[in-house]
Amino acid sequence: MQSIANLAALVARHVPSTGMLSTSINRLSLFRADEPTVPLPAVYEASLCLIAQGTKRVSLGEQSLVYDAAHYLLVSVDLPLLGHVIQADREAPYLCCKIDIDQAALTDLIVAEGGRAPKADFPALAIYRSDDDLIDAACRLMRLLDQPASIPALAPLIEREILYRLLMGPHGPALRYMAVADSRLNQVSRAIATIRTGFNRPLRIEQVANAAGMSPSSLHQHFKAVTRMTPLEYQKQLRLQEARRLMLSAGTTASNAGFAVGYESPSQFNREYARLFGAPPRRNIEQLQLSGNLLTPV
């Protein structure tokens, strides 16, 4: 219990009010919410999410998971999730840290330990019970924020320890499966990376399939099994979320945001935006600004 209390104190100190902090440690982000949030769609990168206080629900299609300070969320590929904080208040805010997975370091660890990768499919989204060793490592990583000169030398070592502890834990088989070059999870991950790189350009399914090392029909089948979306639906969500970010953070108009992410028709952009976020662009942005429920992706 002391480990999780230490983690909560560290997050609260670095994020004193509702919001997100992208830290000087590249793969570490911190989050706080002083009240429950509305459900918001967002793309979650492959990452470990550790809640220090509060509770959150994430959904992928019909699958819904609730995690808290006793459980960690591990996302194995970039997934379009619907998430919202369900337990938080000013006295006990929602506090969370996210550590993105370094794929190169993960592969190196798997090779170094000589472990065999499993052949079976594993879920791309899962929760498991946290342990003190994992929380302690996350605390030590966060404490480096007060020692910026030590970050280049020590942060990669602590991140490697965190990956090792995950590999040795119940989620280890899924992480190994994710790292296997010809696994379906790895192939879908490569397809996702290709779509994200050119999300504002017309989607060429043959190009995406080639990058994934799959046929177009196999890509469609396995992509939907992992993400609950077709490649085109995934690209659409990326476009709409980036357009919302442009309107929120840069004050971009709805029409300019739509064009920037690849829409040629303002009416189509407005229609699809309202379908995803529940209101037309201008009204949705005003609602978010008034409520303070801005993007809280983990």
mmCIF file of all heavy atoms in Angstrom, residues 160-185:
data_model
loop_
_atom_site.group_PDB
_atom_site.id
_atom_site.type_symbol
_atom_site.label_atom_id
_atom_site.label_comp_id
_atom_site.label_asym_id
_atom_site.label_seq_id
_atom_site.Cartn_x
_atom_site.Cartn_y
_atom_site.Cartn_z
ATOM 1 N N ARG A 160 13.608 -0.435 -18.722
ATOM 2 C CA ARG A 160 13.936 -1.827 -19.040
ATOM 3 C C ARG A 160 13.533 -2.748 -17.879
ATOM 4 O O ARG A 160 13.008 -3.844 -18.103
ATOM 5 C CB ARG A 160 15.440 -1.939 -19.331
ATOM 6 C CG ARG A 160 15.880 -3.314 -19.843
ATOM 7 C CD ARG A 160 17.383 -3.306 -20.097
ATOM 8 N NE ARG A 160 17.869 -4.607 -20.527
ATOM 9 C CZ ARG A 160 17.958 -4.994 -21.787
ATOM 10 N NH1 ARG A 160 17.592 -4.163 -22.753
ATOM 11 N NH2 ARG A 160 18.415 -6.194 -22.101
ATOM 12 N N GLU A 161 13.755 -2.291 -16.653
ATOM 13 C CA GLU A 161 13.326 -3.074 -15.495
ATOM 14 C C GLU A 161 11.808 -3.249 -15.493
ATOM 15 O O GLU A 161 11.291 -4.342 -15.206
ATOM 16 C CB GLU A 161 13.764 -2.397 -14.190
ATOM 17 C CG GLU A 161 13.271 -3.134 -12.958
ATOM 18 C CD GLU A 161 13.466 -2.367 -11.656
ATOM 19 O OE1 GLU A 161 14.232 -1.389 -11.646
ATOM 20 O OE2 GLU A 161 12.834 -2.748 -10.646
ATOM 21 N N ILE A 162 11.080 -2.185 -15.805
ATOM 22 C CA ILE A 162 9.616 -2.268 -15.846
ATOM 23 C C ILE A 162 9.170 -3.286 -16.893
ATOM 24 O O ILE A 162 8.288 -4.125 -16.640
ATOM 25 C CB ILE A 162 9.019 -0.874 -16.111
ATOM 26 C CG1 ILE A 162 9.211 0.021 -14.887
ATOM 27 C CG2 ILE A 162 7.535 -0.978 -16.475
ATOM 28 C CD1 ILE A 162 8.878 1.477 -15.126
ATOM 29 N N LEU A 163 9.776 -3.249 -18.077
ATOM 30 C CA LEU A 163 9.439 -4.217 -19.118
ATOM 31 C C LEU A 163 9.760 -5.640 -18.656
ATOM 32 O O LEU A 163 8.990 -6.576 -18.900
ATOM 33 C CB LEU A 163 10.190 -3.893 -20.404
ATOM 34 C CG LEU A 163 9.744 -2.648 -21.165
ATOM 35 C CD1 LEU A 163 10.662 -2.404 -22.366
ATOM 36 C CD2 LEU A 163 8.294 -2.774 -21.639
ATOM 37 N N TYR A 164 10.894 -5.802 -17.987
ATOM 38 C CA TYR A 164 11.279 -7.129 -17.491
ATOM 39 C C TYR A 164 10.241 -7.647 -16.496
ATOM 40 O O TYR A 164 9.845 -8.822 -16.544
ATOM 41 C CB TYR A 164 12.658 -7.063 -16.832
ATOM 42 C CG TYR A 164 13.079 -8.364 -16.197
ATOM 43 C CD1 TYR A 164 13.580 -9.413 -16.972
ATOM 44 C CD2 TYR A 164 12.945 -8.556 -14.825
ATOM 45 C CE1 TYR A 164 13.946 -10.625 -16.388
ATOM 46 C CE2 TYR A 164 13.311 -9.763 -14.236
ATOM 47 C CZ TYR A 164 13.809 -10.785 -15.014
ATOM 48 O OH TYR A 164 14.159 -11.978 -14.446
ATOM 49 N N ARG A 165 9.803 -6.782 -15.579
ATOM 50 C CA ARG A 165 8.819 -7.217 -14.582
ATOM 51 C C ARG A 165 7.495 -7.568 -15.246
ATOM 52 O O ARG A 165 6.793 -8.491 -14.808
ATOM 53 C CB ARG A 165 8.653 -6.139 -13.512
ATOM 54 C CG ARG A 165 9.923 -5.930 -12.691
ATOM 55 C CD ARG A 165 9.690 -5.165 -11.419
ATOM 56 N NE ARG A 165 10.944 -5.011 -10.665
ATOM 57 C CZ ARG A 165 11.521 -5.964 -9.941
ATOM 58 N NH1 ARG A 165 10.936 -7.152 -9.851
ATOM 59 N NH2 ARG A 165 12.650 -5.733 -9.302
ATOM 60 N N LEU A 166 7.134 -6.854 -16.308
ATOM 61 C CA LEU A 166 5.925 -7.210 -17.051
ATOM 62 C C LEU A 166 6.094 -8.560 -17.745
ATOM 63 O O LEU A 166 5.179 -9.389 -17.756
ATOM 64 C CB LEU A 166 5.601 -6.125 -18.075
ATOM 65 C CG LEU A 166 5.094 -4.789 -17.522
ATOM 66 C CD1 LEU A 166 4.988 -3.751 -18.627
ATOM 67 C CD2 LEU A 166 3.748 -4.953 -16.824
ATOM 68 N N LEU A 167 7.281 -8.785 -18.326
ATOM 69 C CA LEU A 167 7.534 -10.052 -18.996
ATOM 70 C C LEU A 167 7.468 -11.231 -18.022
ATOM 71 O O LEU A 167 7.061 -12.338 -18.390
ATOM 72 C CB LEU A 167 8.906 -10.031 -19.672
ATOM 73 C CG LEU A 167 9.001 -9.286 -20.994
ATOM 74 C CD1 LEU A 167 10.462 -9.175 -21.432
ATOM 75 C CD2 LEU A 167 8.171 -9.962 -22.073
ATOM 76 N N MET A 168 7.890 -11.001 -16.773
ATOM 77 C CA MET A 168 7.880 -12.058 -15.771
ATOM 78 C C MET A 168 6.513 -12.234 -15.117
ATOM 79 O O MET A 168 6.297 -13.175 -14.357
ATOM 80 C CB MET A 168 8.920 -11.757 -14.678
ATOM 81 C CG MET A 168 10.360 -11.771 -15.168
ATOM 82 S SD MET A 168 10.869 -13.380 -15.876
ATOM 83 C CE MET A 168 10.803 -13.017 -17.647
ATOM 84 N N GLY A 169 5.591 -11.315 -15.380
ATOM 85 C CA GLY A 169 4.276 -11.358 -14.765
ATOM 86 C C GLY A 169 3.238 -12.023 -15.642
ATOM 87 O O GLY A 169 3.565 -12.621 -16.678
ATOM 88 N N PRO A 170 1.970 -11.936 -15.271
ATOM 89 C CA PRO A 170 0.904 -12.631 -16.003
ATOM 90 C C PRO A 170 0.690 -12.123 -17.419
ATOM 91 O O PRO A 170 0.111 -12.826 -18.244
ATOM 92 C CB PRO A 170 -0.339 -12.386 -15.130
ATOM 93 C CG PRO A 170 -0.012 -11.151 -14.348
ATOM 94 C CD PRO A 170 1.458 -11.214 -14.095
ATOM 95 N N HIS A 171 1.160 -10.904 -17.699
ATOM 96 C CA HIS A 171 0.988 -10.374 -19.053
ATOM 97 C C HIS A 171 2.173 -10.713 -19.951
ATOM 98 O O HIS A 171 2.199 -10.345 -21.117
ATOM 99 C CB HIS A 171 0.786 -8.853 -19.000
ATOM 100 C CG HIS A 171 0.009 -8.308 -20.164
ATOM 101 N ND1 HIS A 171 -1.351 -8.152 -20.138
ATOM 102 C CD2 HIS A 171 0.400 -7.906 -21.390
ATOM 103 C CE1 HIS A 171 -1.771 -7.672 -21.295
ATOM 104 N NE2 HIS A 171 -0.718 -7.507 -22.073
ATOM 105 N N GLY A 172 3.167 -11.430 -19.409
ATOM 106 C CA GLY A 172 4.355 -11.763 -20.181
ATOM 107 C C GLY A 172 4.093 -12.445 -21.505
ATOM 108 O O GLY A 172 4.651 -12.053 -22.542
ATOM 109 N N PRO A 173 3.242 -13.487 -21.553
ATOM 110 C CA PRO A 173 2.987 -14.151 -22.834
ATOM 111 C C PRO A 173 2.438 -13.210 -23.905
ATOM 112 O O PRO A 173 2.817 -13.308 -25.072
ATOM 113 C CB PRO A 173 1.967 -15.236 -22.459
ATOM 114 C CG PRO A 173 2.247 -15.521 -21.020
ATOM 115 C CD PRO A 173 2.616 -14.194 -20.427
ATOM 116 N N ALA A 174 1.551 -12.290 -23.525
ATOM 117 C CA ALA A 174 0.999 -11.349 -24.497
ATOM 118 C C ALA A 174 2.080 -10.415 -25.027
ATOM 119 O O ALA A 174 2.104 -10.078 -26.215
ATOM 120 C CB ALA A 174 -0.138 -10.549 -23.875
ATOM 121 N N LEU A 175 2.992 -9.962 -24.144
ATOM 122 C CA LEU A 175 4.082 -9.090 -24.590
ATOM 123 C C LEU A 175 5.005 -9.832 -25.550
ATOM 124 O O LEU A 175 5.476 -9.260 -26.540
ATOM 125 C CB LEU A 175 4.870 -8.584 -23.385
ATOM 126 C CG LEU A 175 4.220 -7.470 -22.566
ATOM 127 C CD1 LEU A 175 5.058 -7.183 -21.329
ATOM 128 C CD2 LEU A 175 4.054 -6.211 -23.395
ATOM 129 N N ARG A 176 5.281 -11.086 -25.250
ATOM 130 C CA ARG A 176 6.125 -11.866 -26.159
ATOM 131 C C ARG A 176 5.443 -12.049 -27.508
ATOM 132 O O ARG A 176 6.069 -11.955 -28.565
ATOM 133 C CB ARG A 176 6.446 -13.227 -25.540
ATOM 134 C CG ARG A 176 7.407 -13.141 -24.366
ATOM 135 C CD ARG A 176 7.707 -14.535 -23.798
ATOM 136 N NE ARG A 176 8.695 -14.448 -22.735
ATOM 137 C CZ ARG A 176 8.420 -14.154 -21.469
ATOM 138 N NH1 ARG A 176 7.154 -13.937 -21.111
ATOM 139 N NH2 ARG A 176 9.371 -14.090 -20.570
ATOM 140 N N TYR A 177 4.159 -12.318 -27.463
ATOM 141 C CA TYR A 177 3.407 -12.492 -28.707
ATOM 142 C C TYR A 177 3.413 -11.213 -29.529
ATOM 143 O O TYR A 177 3.542 -11.240 -30.744
ATOM 144 C CB TYR A 177 1.974 -12.915 -28.378
ATOM 145 C CG TYR A 177 1.132 -13.223 -29.602
ATOM 146 C CD1 TYR A 177 1.356 -14.363 -30.348
ATOM 147 C CD2 TYR A 177 0.099 -12.362 -29.985
ATOM 148 C CE1 TYR A 177 0.585 -14.649 -31.468
ATOM 149 C CE2 TYR A 177 -0.670 -12.644 -31.095
ATOM 150 C CZ TYR A 177 -0.429 -13.788 -31.837
ATOM 151 O OH TYR A 177 -1.180 -14.065 -32.931
ATOM 152 N N MET A 178 3.324 -10.062 -28.848
ATOM 153 C CA MET A 178 3.329 -8.777 -29.529
ATOM 154 C C MET A 178 4.634 -8.555 -30.268
ATOM 155 O O MET A 178 4.672 -7.924 -31.326
ATOM 156 C CB MET A 178 3.106 -7.660 -28.509
ATOM 157 C CG MET A 178 3.135 -6.258 -29.090
ATOM 158 S SD MET A 178 2.795 -5.002 -27.831
ATOM 159 C CE MET A 178 4.312 -5.066 -26.892
ATOM 160 N N ALA A 179 5.744 -9.086 -29.724
ATOM 161 C CA ALA A 179 7.063 -8.823 -30.293
ATOM 162 C C ALA A 179 7.431 -9.767 -31.437
ATOM 163 O O ALA A 179 8.395 -9.516 -32.155
ATOM 164 C CB ALA A 179 8.122 -8.917 -29.201
ATOM 165 N N VAL A 180 6.685 -10.846 -31.623
ATOM 166 C CA VAL A 180 7.012 -11.803 -32.682
ATOM 167 C C VAL A 180 6.656 -11.209 -34.042
ATOM 168 O O VAL A 180 5.527 -10.785 -34.273
ATOM 169 C CB VAL A 180 6.239 -13.126 -32.470
ATOM 170 C CG1 VAL A 180 6.528 -14.102 -33.611
ATOM 171 C CG2 VAL A 180 6.632 -13.748 -31.146
ATOM 172 N N ALA A 181 7.634 -11.194 -34.945
ATOM 173 C CA ALA A 181 7.465 -10.484 -36.217
ATOM 174 C C ALA A 181 6.291 -10.992 -37.039
ATOM 175 O O ALA A 181 5.613 -10.216 -37.720
ATOM 176 C CB ALA A 181 8.750 -10.569 -37.031
ATOM 177 N N ASP A 182 6.038 -12.309 -37.002
ATOM 178 C CA ASP A 182 4.963 -12.842 -37.838
ATOM 179 C C ASP A 182 3.683 -13.127 -37.071
ATOM 180 O O ASP A 182 2.787 -13.796 -37.572
ATOM 181 C CB ASP A 182 5.436 -14.108 -38.568
ATOM 182 C CG ASP A 182 5.808 -15.228 -37.605
ATOM 183 O OD1 ASP A 182 5.876 -14.964 -36.381
ATOM 184 O OD2 ASP A 182 6.039 -16.360 -38.075
ATOM 185 N N SER A 183 3.565 -12.633 -35.834
ATOM 186 C CA SER A 183 2.318 -12.819 -35.100
ATOM 187 C C SER A 183 1.259 -11.877 -35.646
ATOM 188 O O SER A 183 1.555 -10.817 -36.204
ATOM 189 C CB SER A 183 2.522 -12.554 -33.608
ATOM 190 O OG SER A 183 2.664 -11.167 -33.355
ATOM 191 N N ARG A 184 -0.003 -12.253 -35.491
ATOM 192 C CA ARG A 184 -1.089 -11.411 -35.998
ATOM 193 C C ARG A 184 -1.086 -10.055 -35.289
ATOM 194 O O ARG A 184 -1.337 -9.021 -35.905
ATOM 195 C CB ARG A 184 -2.428 -12.118 -35.787
ATOM 196 C CG ARG A 184 -2.617 -13.370 -36.613
ATOM 197 C CD ARG A 184 -2.436 -13.125 -38.095
ATOM 198 N NE ARG A 184 -2.730 -14.295 -38.894
ATOM 199 C CZ ARG A 184 -2.421 -14.422 -40.190
ATOM 200 N NH1 ARG A 184 -1.782 -13.425 -40.800
ATOM 201 N NH2 ARG A 184 -2.730 -15.512 -40.856
ATOM 202 N N LEU A 185 -0.774 -10.053 -33.995
ATOM 203 C CA LEU A 185 -0.761 -8.799 -33.246
ATOM 204 C C LEU A 185 0.322 -7.865 -33.769
ATOM 205 O O LEU A 185 0.110 -6.658 -33.909
ATOM 206 C CB LEU A 185 -0.537 -9.091 -31.761
ATOM 207 C CG LEU A 185 -1.015 -8.037 -30.754
ATOM 208 C CD1 LEU A 185 -2.485 -7.731 -30.938
ATOM 209 C CD2 LEU A 185 -0.756 -8.517 -29.338
#
